[in-house]
Amino acid sequence: MDFSSVAAISTPYGRGAIAVIRISGENTLKILEKVFVPSSKKSIDSYRAGQLIRGDIVSSNGRMIDDGMAVFFKAPHSYTGENSAEIYCHGGILVSEEVLKAVFAAGALPAGPGEFTKRAFINGKLGLTEAEAVINTIDAQTKDKLDLARSHRKGVLSAKIKGIYSSLLTLVSSAYVFADYPDEDLSDISPEEMAEKLGFIHTEIVNLAATYKMGQAINEGIYTVLAGRPNTGKSSLLNLLLGSDRAIVSDTAGTTRDSIEESVSLGRIMLRLCDTAGIREGKDEIEKLGIERSISALERAGLIIAVFDGSQEATDEDRTVCEIVSKQSAAKIALINKADLEQKFDLDTSAFDKTISMSAKYSENSETLTKEIESLFIEGEIDYDSDAIVSSARQRASLDRAAESVENAINTLNAGHTPDVAGLDIEEAMSALGEIDGRTVSEDIVKDIFGRFCVGK
């Protein structure tokens, strides 16, 4: 990448107490000296690196734009690992833009999305997992997501990955000693012992990959579909979970003609809710299209909440809903709604993971729903200071590839091949693990991750 000095506003646009303009690159000090004049009239490099300096912020022609503060960080002791600086001016769109224009005029280029954190990654200041945790910290809407991001920034997951990687490195080194000196008996491990150790490593990788179910629920949210025949209270449930009247509630069947999608934090996890059109024989083309979308949404769901009217006996449409939902791989909850009325519902819901009776209209038993949903994705308490948790599909995919390669190595050894042949699969596993923290990651993945950042971070 181009390592020219770059700059951007790192605080949100709008009125505020302060705005922060960040600069990074080899010429940072020269740029800062052109736009910032210390009140002491001393040169900026005479101050201790990292020391806040008060002074005037000026344009290229020497006109004062604002008074404020600045700090210079000398490489490698900075966020990016490069010479960098921050200028603090009064908050506001116009004044911050004027300061940024002055910085550009002094020689900086506009920073791209996530460029400061990307430079920190490339300069070895943080791994790819820690970099992803930065954006997750910014986006956090629940305390658990914030705690998980903090855990990743501290390197809990990275340390776990490095431990597995180190174990594989020891084994592959032993395998290649055998290949280079087959008659010297220099390898300290037999093929049988290597296969046994690889078995333990395989279990460790599989168990770590399994934490993605929990990490996804906390970090990305679970795509959750509210399904059922018309007029069972799906829209009332959506409004209850969102805490607002997002969907139209009516006694008229077929009111919801399309899918409505919203995100909400529910207890310790995020739900990406989708309220679908009632599943029945459509009365017109528009409703039929909505029902088709409902079934498509069910196939993509991680959680399905099938809503039934507890005040009525089960209908053929209810049985159709049960049949369709039972075929899906998602976690399933049967929600028997309208518990405030006399209960007549008699359909067998044993195919569901959970069955809950509640009243969406009067919020009755809503806390039970929250706890039951949590229990499907989070087991017990989490120690974010020590429990390694996978939180992205990218990390999970890398672990799956690593597990497959380790399994191939075990099969190779069990088939009677020499350790050096198994070493090829072990190296594949190491490469897959290296993608998680960025040691072997492709440029396209790096671009994709940092492309999700805002400018200025």
Side-chain angles (χ1 to χ4, degrees):
M1 64 179 288
D2 184 359
F3 284 97
S4 302
S5 296
V6 295
I9 299 172
S10 290
T11 43
Y13 280 89
R15 296 178 63 185
I18 63 169
V20 179
I21 289 80
R22 178 178 281 177
I23 312 167
S24 185
E26 183 178 356
N27 296 322
T28 294
L29 181 58
K30 293 179 180 179
I31 293 169
L32 185 62
E33 288 174 334
K34 292 178 181 179
V35 300
F36 189 82
V37 180
S39 299
S40 66
K41 305 305 180 185
K42 297 179 182 179
S43 63
I44 294 174
D45 63 358
S46 68
Y47 284 86
R48 185 179 69 255
Q51 181 179 353
L52 272 173
I53 311 168
R54 183 171 182 176
D56 293 335
I57 306 164
V58 299
S59 65
S60 57
N61 59 12
R63 177 181 60 86
M64 178 179 169
I65 300 172
D66 195 10
D67 61 329
M69 307 284 286
V71 59
F72 172 71
F73 302 99
K74 189 173 182 60
H77 305 294
S78 69
Y79 178 71
T80 62
E82 306 172 327
N83 286 342
S84 65
E86 291 178 355
I87 299 173
Y88 309 94
C89 63
H90 289 92
I93 295 175
L94 184 59
V95 64
S96 57
E97 285 187 344
E98 286 295 310
V99 175
L100 184 61
K101 287 179 182 178
V103 172
F104 289 155
L109 298 175
E115 186 160 352
F116 296 103
T117 305
K118 183 178 181 181
R119 291 183 178 215
F121 163 67
I122 290 174
N123 290 323
K125 299 295 288 186
L126 73 172
L128 204 56
T129 299
E130 289 87 350
E132 287 177 301
V134 172
I135 191 64
N136 291 336
T137 298
I138 295 170
D139 291 342
Q141 294 176 281
T142 66
K143 183 178 182 299
D144 275 77
K145 180 170 181 176
L146 187 62
D147 286 341
L148 181 56
R150 174 181 55 81
S151 172
H152 284 187
R153 292 201 326 270
K154 286 179 62 180
V156 174
L157 177 59
S158 292
K160 180 70 172 179
I161 298 297
K162 288 175 182 176
I164 299 172
Y165 187 97
S166 178
S167 297
L168 289 173
L169 179 60
T170 299
L171 291 178
V172 80
S173 299
S174 180
Y176 290 148
V177 165
F178 175 87
D180 292 338
Y181 305 98
D183 300 324
E184 299 296 332
D185 195 24
L186 295 177
S187 178
D188 58 355
I189 185 171
S190 68
E192 293 76 18
E193 290 173 319
M194 180 176 287
E196 183 181 10
K197 288 181 180 295
L198 285 172
F200 291 131
I201 293 172
H202 181 266
T203 299
E204 197 172 8
I205 295 173
V206 169
N207 289 341
L208 181 58
T211 65
Y212 175 58
K213 179 182 179 182
M214 176 168 56
Q216 180 190 35
I218 294 171
N219 188 58
E220 299 176 354
I222 300 300
Y223 185 60
T224 304
V225 175
L226 309 183
R229 66 173 174 81
N231 216 26
T232 57
K234 299 188 303 299
S235 295
S236 294
L237 178 61
L238 177 72
N239 291 339
L240 171 65
L241 295 174
L242 293 177
S244 64
D245 293 334
R246 173 65 178 84
I248 298 173
V249 177
S250 170
D251 291 333
T252 303
T255 303
T256 303
R257 310 292 287 268
D258 199 357
S259 300
I260 299 173
E261 298 193 9
E262 295 283 353
S263 293
V264 63
S265 58
L266 190 72
R268 303 168 66 186
I269 65 177
M270 289 289 299
L271 298 183
R272 292 181 283 118
L273 292 169
C274 176
D275 181 22
T276 60
I279 297 175
R280 65 172 181 175
E281 189 68 34
K283 300 298 184 182
D284 55 46
E285 289 303 315
I286 295 178
E287 187 178 2
K288 287 180 180 179
L289 181 59
I291 294 169
E292 289 177 7
R293 290 186 178 182
S294 297
I295 296 174
S296 176
L298 288 171
E299 294 172 348
R300 294 182 285 117
L303 171 64
I304 299 172
I305 303 177
V307 184
F308 302 98
D309 186 345
S311 68
Q312 298 182 18
E313 293 181 357
T315 66
D316 288 341
E317 290 170 344
D318 288 322
R319 281 182 273 275
T320 298
V321 170
C322 267
E323 182 181 354
I324 294 172
V325 171
S326 65
K327 295 177 181 178
Q328 311 306 320
S329 60
K332 308 171 187 66
I333 293 177
L335 191 148
I336 315 303
N337 196 23
K338 306 184 183 181
D340 53 302
L341 303 176
E342 182 184 352
Q343 296 297 285
K344 300 178 181 179
F345 191 72
D346 56 355
L347 188 63
D348 179 16
T349 59
S350 59
F352 291 81
D353 299 297
K354 306 278 185 179
T355 298
I356 302 169
S357 177
M358 68 174 290
S359 170
K361 183 177 180 180
Y362 296 107
S363 305
E364 180 183 316
N365 222 19
S366 59
E367 290 184 0
T368 299
L369 176 62
T370 298
K371 291 178 180 177
E372 293 291 6
I373 291 175
E374 279 188 350
S375 70
L376 289 172
F377 298 95
I378 301 178
E379 297 180 4
E381 293 300 315
I382 304 171
D383 185 353
Y384 288 105
D385 290 325
S386 61
D387 293 340
I389 299 171
V390 175
S391 65
S392 75
R394 181 190 71 83
Q395 296 164 355
R396 169 64 190 268
S398 294
L399 286 169
D400 286 344
R401 289 199 302 276
E404 182 180 2
S405 295
V406 171
E407 186 175 8
N408 290 340
I410 295 171
N411 293 336
T412 297
L413 291 168
N414 290 339
H417 295 286
T418 54
D420 56 305
V421 179
L424 298 174
D425 289 315
I426 297 175
E427 284 195 70
E428 288 291 333
M430 293 170 63
S431 178
L433 291 175
E435 291 179 0
I436 297 176
D437 62 8
R439 274 176 286 187
T440 59
V441 73
S442 71
E443 184 178 350
D444 288 340
I445 291 176
V446 172
K447 286 181 178 179
D448 177 67
I449 289 173
F450 291 102
R452 300 197 296 267
F453 279 59
C454 58
V455 173
K457 190 56 186 168

